[in-house]
Amino acid sequence: LKDKSFNQGTYDGVKLYANANSKSYKYYQPANGDKATDDDRYDAMKAAVDNGAEVVVAAGFLQGAALEKAAKEFTDTKFVFIDGSPIDGVTNLAAISFREEQCGYLAGYAAVMEGYTKLGFAGGGGGTNPACIRYGWGFAQGANDAAKEMDKTVDLNYSWEYGASFQASPELQTMVSGWYSNGTEIVFACGGSMFQSVAAAASAEDGKVVGVDVDQSSESETVVTSAMKGLSDAAEWAIAKVYDGTFSEIGGVKTALGVTENAVGLPTATWSMENFSVADYEDLFQKVLNGDITIDNNDKMADPSTAGLSNVNVNYIGG
């Protein structure tokens, strides 16, 4: 809950709703930390239900198997699955996802328009996490469109190495330090606590960072902007539906939030862009909103070097 990114952003929504509506809340941490099993996650959910939880919020695709078991067993409890998919026939579970490809696109486009031509992407989930894949693929598409507009070619190091557990690590920091020392200017740190390793490498090598999930500008002066999604707002919104009687609208179906719901974007108030203006950004956002710009949301596109991008040279490092 202290990743200052995905998990913390989701939990903030739980706290905000509870505090505003005189509800109690509690965090149930699965046993074994980042080595937690499906059984560990289920046990945490069962403990919550046994202690009277009316709604259980779980964040991240790793929760899927445990959630399916818990939601089918505890049918009187509502479950909110942030960054997850619906389960057939399970109407007491609401799956809330985001159009990460949209905010990834905005960040990649902005970075190239700002003047960066040597980019990096360090992703979490080992190349199998749909949300991180959409983020990275959107980033590559945005960079490509901006480069095309500027009639230039940009380079993009693209890696899932050391990101399987979304944790900071010396190995990740060493790899990204090598990128910076070899000319990479800005890296999209896409994977929870991985941000800490990327930001440390950027600080040491005079590099820059694109944050993820929430506005991470306050975490490091290396952050130029962040590809954000409204985790806190989405959690609050979904919990509210439990108590206002409209949960049936989202239970059993997939809800994908994006520019239309103002649920993704860049933090213009805190970014440190100098060449790409807020007006430029607002114009770009409107084009995405209107459908004038088409962004592919293929969550299997883990390797953009295979996509035939015209103005981005992708150096795919794998995972």
Side-chain angles (χ1 to χ4, degrees):
L1 296 186
K2 293 182 170 62
D3 63 0
K4 297 176 180 174
S5 182
F6 177 70
N7 294 290
Q8 188 168 337
T10 303
Y11 191 53
D12 282 348
V14 176
K15 292 193 293 185
L16 285 165
Y17 183 87
N19 290 330
N21 294 277
S22 301
K23 303 289 185 186
S24 63
Y25 63 93
K26 183 177 178 181
Y27 171 48
Y28 290 82
Q29 183 174 17
N32 298 312
D34 62 3
K35 303 289 192 300
T37 64
D38 291 336
D39 287 342
D40 293 331
R41 297 183 187 98
Y42 166 81
D43 288 344
M45 296 172 195
K46 183 178 186 303
V49 175
D50 288 347
N51 284 333
E54 296 166 327
V55 55
V56 174
V57 179
F61 81 130
L62 291 173
Q63 306 272 9
L67 266 176
E68 179 168 2
K69 181 180 178 183
K72 286 179 175 177
E73 183 175 346
F74 307 115
T75 54
D76 291 338
T77 304
K78 300 293 190 290
F79 292 84
V80 175
F81 190 4
I82 300 291
D83 259 12
S85 299
I87 298 163
D88 286 345
V90 181
T91 57
N92 61 323
L93 182 142
I96 313 296
S97 62
F98 297 86
R99 301 192 184 279
E100 291 92 355
E101 74 279 359
Q102 294 179 341
C103 52
Y105 180 98
L106 295 169
Y109 186 98
V112 173
M113 283 296 187
E114 179 67 9
Y116 298 107
T117 60
K118 295 188 182 302
L119 319 177
F121 169 82
T128 62
N129 178 289
C132 289
I133 291 173
R134 288 193 295 268
Y135 262 133
W137 175 219
F139 186 73
Q141 291 176 76
N144 189 68
D145 283 359
K148 195 185 300 182
E149 225 174 284
M150 299 175 77
D151 195 28
K152 62 169 66 170
T153 300
V154 301
D155 297 320
L156 173 60
N157 282 326
Y158 205 93
S159 176
W160 301 103
E161 290 260 43
Y162 313 119
S165 67
F166 300 92
Q167 300 298 310
S169 70
E171 294 84 2
L172 176 61
Q173 184 174 335
T174 297
M175 181 183 75
V176 176
S177 291
W179 289 2
Y180 285 126
S181 64
N182 284 313
T184 296
E185 299 160 325
I186 189 167
V187 175
F188 184 14
C190 184
S193 297
M194 293 170 66
F195 171 84
Q196 293 155 20
S197 295
V198 176
S203 293
E205 300 289 342
D206 200 26
K208 298 297 182 184
V209 177
V210 174
V212 75
D213 291 337
V214 299
D215 180 3
Q216 295 187 307
S217 60
S218 63
E219 303 309 313
S220 171
E221 60 186 20
T222 65
V223 174
V224 174
T225 189
S226 301
M228 301 190 309
K229 56 190 184 186
L231 292 159
S232 178
D233 289 346
E236 265 193 285
W237 172 78
I239 296 166
K241 286 186 166 295
V242 174
Y243 294 102
D244 69 11
T246 62
F247 188 82
S248 60
E249 296 173 2
I250 60 173
V253 299
K254 181 172 183 174
T255 302
L257 306 175
V259 293
T260 303
E261 296 79 18
N262 204 28
V264 298
L266 307 182
T268 56
T270 58
W271 75 12
S272 56
M273 298 280 183
E274 295 176 0
N275 302 320
F276 186 68
S277 70
V278 174
D280 293 333
Y281 168 73
E282 290 173 346
D283 181 55
L284 178 67
F285 189 96
Q286 194 63 42
K287 286 176 179 174
V288 176
L289 183 61
N290 294 344
D292 298 333
I293 293 174
T294 303
I295 306 168
D296 182 43
N297 66 351
N298 181 359
D299 60 17
K300 301 289 191 293
M301 183 54 77
D303 178 6
S305 70
T306 65
L309 295 171
S310 59
N311 292 66
V312 175
N313 292 325
V314 180
N315 174 34
Y316 181 69
I317 296 155

